[in-house]
Amino acid sequence: MKRPATVLLTALAPVSWGTTYAVTTEFLPPDRPLFTGLMRALPAGLVLLALARVLPRGVWWGKAAVLGALNIGAFFPLLFLSAYRMPGGMAAVVGSVGPLFVVGLSALLLGQRPTPRSVLTGVVAAFGVSLVVLKAAGALDAVGVLAALASTASMSAGTVLTKRWGRPDGVGPLALTAWQLTAGGLLIAPVALLAEGTPPALDGRAVGGYLYLALANTAVAYWLWFRGIGRLTATQVTFLGPLSPLTAAVVGWAALGQTLTPVQLAGMALAFGATVAGQLRAGTDVKEADGGARHSAGHPRPRTGNDYSAAAASAACAFSARSTPARDSEISRRRAALGSAEASHSSVLRRVSSETWIDG
């Protein structure tokens, strides 16, 4: 698949997550962040596990548990805690600091040295977020802000580790998603029971809200997300994050009657523009990384004109050691053949370079 299509499909995940806050506040029982996280994760994980029909093996039991804890088990409760205590747009836009976390963690865990441009775009995005948070109308809830930041840090760590560990041979993103959702849901279950007690009574609106969160917002969205992590860089994936606050703000304004001040709108535009710029830069980096990865993985390096010239020189030396009229004739013939191959190869290279090929 072409890389732009991969980016667009991966972007559907944060767009879907941007609706989480409106669904949580309008459809779900109040003050049940742990139960809501459980209902979002575990049913989705079990459905995907039934579809994938693959269980972890060996060290992947531990790795799946760690990834499930970071991406799901800690992330979901913190996310819903922030959603219950803050307006949807405010809670979501805090997530745009994710690129800064991922840039730092990628340097530590992936050996990817941060570039000045990536750091700058992350700082500008964070500054835009601060404009939104600090200028919000009314008093912001400190616990909600801290929960939103902690949820972002947790998922950023999970994203980088997912990229670092990859997937076992023969295991696709569907199974990897199922493992993490199931592990995260099982981690949340006892904590939810101890902290919040028995599950609340659910009406039709709550059932519909939980079905949407479990299927579209989690099973499908996380499958697209982990699929994207396998095909893009960790930084490129996380720079899609601003689509979530943008969606949340639009939904909050259009459906919930929430208002944003001009300063907040400017902050969101600044954060979004900075992270989009980082996404474009990450797209350049990933193509360069792809080339090196392909060669190191055993793909043959394309032969250049210099390769053919070197081959011709080597052949000439081999034959000239014992020069005779017959060998001289053979050398001339082989030089002509190699020269023809070089010219043909150069023609192909010129034709390829005039096109735009993006592997995906």
Side-chain angles (χ1 to χ4, degrees):
M1 179 179 289
K2 301 291 186 182
R3 193 167 302 282
T6 301
V7 172
L8 290 175
L9 284 174
T10 308
L12 292 177
V15 168
S16 173
W17 298 335
T19 65
T20 302
Y21 307 96
V23 173
T24 300
T25 56
E26 297 301 309
F27 291 88
L28 305 184
D31 300 324
R32 289 298 186 105
L34 292 173
F35 177 75
T36 298
L38 172 63
M39 292 297 292
R40 184 183 176 189
L42 191 55
L46 293 176
V47 168
L48 294 184
L49 198 60
L51 293 174
R53 295 189 294 180
V54 177
L55 292 176
R57 295 185 300 273
V59 296
W60 270 97
W61 283 102
K63 289 183 177 181
V66 171
L67 295 178
L70 291 172
N71 287 320
I72 309 298
F75 174 68
F76 277 7
L78 291 168
L79 176 71
F80 285 111
L81 178 61
S82 67
Y84 279 121
R85 302 183 70 107
M86 296 173 62
M90 300 301 99
V93 79
V94 175
S96 64
V97 302
L100 279 177
F101 291 134
V102 169
V103 166
L105 290 171
S106 294
L108 291 174
L109 300 177
L110 302 180
Q112 296 177 357
R113 186 173 59 184
T115 63
R117 182 169 179 173
S118 65
V119 174
L120 178 62
T121 53
V123 170
V124 173
F127 176 70
V129 170
S130 70
L131 291 181
V132 176
V133 174
L134 296 178
K135 298 296 182 179
L140 283 176
D141 184 89
V143 174
V145 173
L146 290 176
L149 286 171
S151 68
T152 301
S154 178
M155 190 168 187
S156 298
T159 297
V160 174
L161 280 179
T162 301
K163 187 65 180 179
R164 176 184 174 88
W165 288 339
R167 298 193 302 268
D169 292 338
V171 173
L174 186 70
L176 183 64
T177 306
W179 299 347
Q180 295 186 55
L181 288 172
T182 304
L186 292 175
L187 180 65
I188 296 171
V191 180
L193 184 61
L194 291 174
E196 298 178 352
T198 57
L202 303 179
D203 57 16
R205 287 173 60 85
V207 170
Y210 283 127
L211 283 175
Y212 168 77
L213 289 183
L215 298 179
N217 188 265
T218 301
V220 175
Y222 270 89
W223 170 69
L224 291 172
W225 185 254
F226 291 127
R227 175 182 173 276
I229 291 176
R231 301 185 179 202
L232 307 170
T233 67
T235 303
Q236 188 175 22
V237 171
T238 196
F239 269 125
L240 294 172
L243 295 175
S244 179
L246 179 62
T247 303
V250 170
V251 171
W253 169 76
L256 306 181
Q258 296 177 353
T259 59
L260 293 171
T261 67
V263 173
Q264 288 175 288
L265 290 173
M268 290 187 67
L270 186 62
F272 183 77
T275 49
V276 167
Q279 164 73 17
L280 296 175
R281 175 59 185 171
T284 301
D285 293 342
V286 74
K287 284 189 285 186
E288 295 173 356
D290 257 0
R294 290 177 190 276
H295 297 321
S296 64
H299 291 272
R301 181 176 60 86
R303 300 190 73 181
T304 65
N306 289 336
D307 295 329
Y308 286 105
S309 298
S314 176
C317 290
F319 276 91
S320 63
R322 290 179 296 173
S323 178
T324 66
R327 288 189 175 88
D328 290 343
S329 176
E330 180 66 12
I331 290 172
S332 298
R333 187 186 68 78
R334 293 196 180 192
R335 280 176 173 169
L338 287 168
S340 176
E342 177 182 345
S344 175
H345 183 74
S346 299
S347 175
V348 172
L349 287 178
R350 286 193 297 271
R351 184 171 70 253
V352 170
S353 65
S354 67
E355 302 172 358
T356 303
W357 286 16
I358 304 178
D359 241 347

